[in-house]
Amino acid sequence: MENKTSPETFLKIGRRVITREAAALELLADSLNDSFADAVELMLGATGRVIICGMGKSGHVARKIAATLASTGTPAHFVHPAEASHGDLGMMAQGDVALILSNSGETPELADVIAYTRRFSIPMIGVASRAESTLIKQCDVALVLPKAEEACDTGVVPTTSTTMTLALGDALAIALMEHRQFTPENFREFHPGGKLGARLSKVSDLMHSGEELPLIAMNAPMSDVLIAISQKGFGVVGVVTTEGDLAGIITDGDLRRHMKGLLDMSAAEVMTANPKTIAPDALAEQAVANMNDRKITCLFVTAAGNGGAPLGILHIHDCLRAGVA
């Protein structure tokens, strides 16, 4: 007799579940037809928001789809079907598109939502596994999930069906996102916090500018350079021309290399000319890579990243504090 609590049994169950759900996703991909394109077009044409409803497990999936849509450029909002019957129907308006999720297509709590969309001519996309269900018959665009067994042997726990619905929501979101040519920079606007926001931070978000910039004229004596390096605290100073362009930099390393007669020299005589710079709209992650490659701790920021007037300075510690690297 098989030991139902053995590690081998648990692994067998886990692999069975994942294999069943993977097979269901293959069926889903093969089942997509013109209705999927119609659903995308309907959401693209919305002048309001995509209102997503679902009850129970479908409700949890609906919340995730709403969050994914909203973060990728499609205004979306989750409305709980039970709350909708007690006033939240007012969250739906003409110009919106409703995306209604129900595996059976007969969820009673959705009745008022469906009726409301019909009464006020709000386009409705239905997602269900039964083509003959009330939801599918009433909707304007039907997305019918293919027949696939749930991951559990009892066949009653929403597993495979919710995975397919979630994947379908992702497919809709990405189709909308790519049509709108949604960029990583756009994505960051909706994700300013956390590791993802940090990775998408721009140099301009983290750089020091204005009075914080350590700058010195080319003809400045090295005594002034030493004071500037000490006061600004970056361990480096930028050397600028009379036109204000960055001509070079002076680092601690430059000071050590010119120790003999240092105070008798000018900034132009000690500086390293044509330093590596970076543009303000570059990702901070790129700046970190550049600093790591060159084993330096600071980068001056210029308009195009290839010379010109310095706009700011970025220190590796600024990136680390922001969670970049």
Side-chain angles (χ1 to χ4, degrees):
M1 177 180 287
E2 182 181 17
N3 183 356
K4 295 185 178 296
T5 61
S6 69
E8 292 78 11
T9 301
F10 295 147
L11 285 171
K12 182 179 178 182
I13 294 170
R15 289 173 179 140
R16 184 197 72 216
V17 169
I18 293 171
T19 299
R20 284 185 183 177
E21 296 198 2
L25 291 178
E26 291 284 351
L27 287 174
L28 177 63
D30 292 339
S31 73
L32 294 186
N33 52 31
D34 289 345
S35 292
F36 179 83
D38 292 341
V40 174
E41 292 287 351
L42 201 57
M43 288 191 278
L44 279 172
T47 56
R49 296 175 299 174
V50 177
I51 304 298
I52 310 177
C53 290
M55 194 69 188
K57 303 298 185 296
S58 293
H60 296 305
V61 173
R63 286 184 175 89
K64 192 276 178 185
I65 294 173
T68 299
L69 288 170
S71 69
T72 52
T74 299
H77 186 74
F78 170 76
V79 172
H80 194 288
E83 298 293 338
S85 299
H86 295 275
D88 283 2
L89 282 172
M91 293 182 179
M92 301 173 66
Q94 290 184 333
D96 292 341
V97 170
L99 177 61
I100 311 299
L101 314 180
S102 170
N103 186 40
S104 68
E106 301 292 349
T107 306
E109 290 87 352
L110 291 171
D112 289 339
V113 175
I114 294 171
Y116 189 85
T117 66
R118 303 304 82 189
R119 185 180 308 123
F120 293 100
S121 301
I122 297 172
M124 180 174 66
I125 302 165
V127 178
S129 61
R130 295 173 57 240
E132 69 279 7
S133 65
T134 300
L135 173 60
I136 295 302
K137 287 181 178 178
Q138 290 292 328
C139 67
D140 299 291
V141 176
L143 298 176
V144 180
L145 301 175
K147 294 187 181 302
E149 60 180 342
E150 298 288 8
C152 64
D153 281 339
T154 62
V156 297
V157 179
T159 46
T160 302
S161 56
T162 52
T163 297
M164 286 193 293
T165 306
L166 186 62
L168 184 59
D170 287 341
L172 290 168
I174 300 306
L176 291 163
M177 171 182 166
E178 293 190 5
H179 177 84
R180 293 192 170 102
Q181 298 182 329
F182 199 77
T183 65
E185 286 73 22
N186 299 137
F187 196 69
R188 183 188 174 274
E189 293 174 6
F190 300 112
H191 297 77
K195 183 64 176 177
L196 182 57
R199 289 187 61 194
L200 296 176
S201 294
K202 293 182 180 179
V203 168
S204 58
D205 297 325
L206 304 178
M207 72 182 189
H208 301 266
S209 58
E211 292 297 320
E212 294 183 89
L213 268 177
L215 300 176
I216 202 81
M218 291 185 69
N219 61 357
M222 284 306 298
S223 56
D224 289 351
V225 172
L226 293 173
I227 292 172
I229 290 179
S230 176
Q231 286 180 340
K232 299 298 184 179
F234 291 102
V236 64
V237 68
V239 182
V240 294
T241 65
T242 53
E243 292 79 20
D245 293 335
L246 185 68
I249 60 170
I250 298 175
T251 66
D252 293 338
D254 293 316
L255 298 180
R256 288 191 294 272
R257 285 188 290 272
H258 295 83
M259 282 299 293
K260 187 175 181 179
L262 179 66
L263 295 179
D264 296 326
M265 298 180 186
S266 67
E269 293 175 290
V270 177
M271 74 179 188
T272 297
N274 302 314
K276 177 66 178 178
T277 60
I278 195 163
D281 60 352
L283 290 179
E285 201 164 60
Q286 178 186 339
V288 171
N290 290 349
M291 286 188 270
N292 286 336
D293 287 345
R294 290 169 174 78
K295 295 180 172 58
I296 57 177
T297 58
C298 283
L299 275 175
F300 274 91
V301 184
T302 56
N306 57 359
L311 304 176
I313 186 171
L314 183 68
H315 196 283
I316 188 71
H317 289 167
D318 300 319
C319 299
L320 293 174
R321 279 192 293 269
V324 182

